Amino acid sequence: MVRKMLTKSSVIGLNTYTSDARYLGKVVDFGVDLQNPSNVTIIVEGKDKRYVVPVSYIKAVGDIIILAENAPLDELAESKPSTQVSTQPTTTVTTATPATVSTPSYPTTRVQQPIQQPSTQPVIPRCPTCGTALIYYPQYGKWYCPRCRKYTEVPPAVLSRVPRCPTCGNYLSYIEQYQKWYCYKCGKYVNV
Ligand SMILES: [Zn+2]
Ligand SMILES: [Zn+2]
């Protein structure tokens, strides 16, 4: 058996078949893996794929090339760069995605509703430390915790729901002992 020397000119243009006689494509080039120079490949250009086939998978070379049975064609196949066109419809899908994203913004509206409903009900400002109902002193414009004996801030969300005195317009203080609202400016209880 004569040892055959594989040259570029001897293989380029040859039709390549798999071991089960399936036509793969034409050899268009020769390649050498720089990481592994002993791995010489032939580039087979098929109809819609190109195959980078190590020469070790070549079973026979004559007028045609026949590949070995164990040639992992799926692994060796490379998709042609022409498939880039298919990314355009994908962009259209991406544009449609923000519309789908905006739909979950409904729960935000739903969250706001329960807040609006109790807003008609008075809210008792309480001390963030001990939970005691705070006293509003109109002369200082401040909220005071009688238990902690200190002034404290009331969050605006709570403040907007604190009932006001119909006479003077100041915030009312909730007297837990009597379960009534009291105006420290007018010095009287107010029905809320
Ligand atoms: Zn307190
Ligand atoms: Zn008042």
Side-chain angles (χ1 to χ4, degrees), residues 165 167-170 172 183 185-186 188:
C165 173
T167 312
C168 68
N170 280 296
L172 296 174
C183 177
K185 175 94 182 226
C186 302
K188 63 175 186 183

Side-chain angles (χ1 to χ4, degrees), residues 109-145:
T109 332
R110 225 179 293 155
V111 170
Q112 283 170 346
Q113 278 172 341
I115 298 168
Q116 282 169 349
Q117 280 170 343
S119 70
T120 50
Q121 283 184 321
V123 168
I124 302 161
R126 292 187 179 275
C127 171
T129 312
C130 69
T132 302
L134 297 172
I135 294 168
Y136 183 70
Y137 289 118
Q139 66 266 42
Y140 307 120
K142 282 181 170 180
W143 293 90
Y144 182 77
C145 175

Side-chain angles (χ1 to χ4, degrees), residues 85-112:
V85 186
S86 66
T87 48
Q88 275 184 331
T90 322
T91 328
T92 325
V93 173
T94 325
T95 327
T97 317
T100 334
V101 173
S102 66
T103 320
S105 68
Y106 281 116
T108 322
T109 332
R110 225 179 293 155
V111 170
Q112 283 170 346

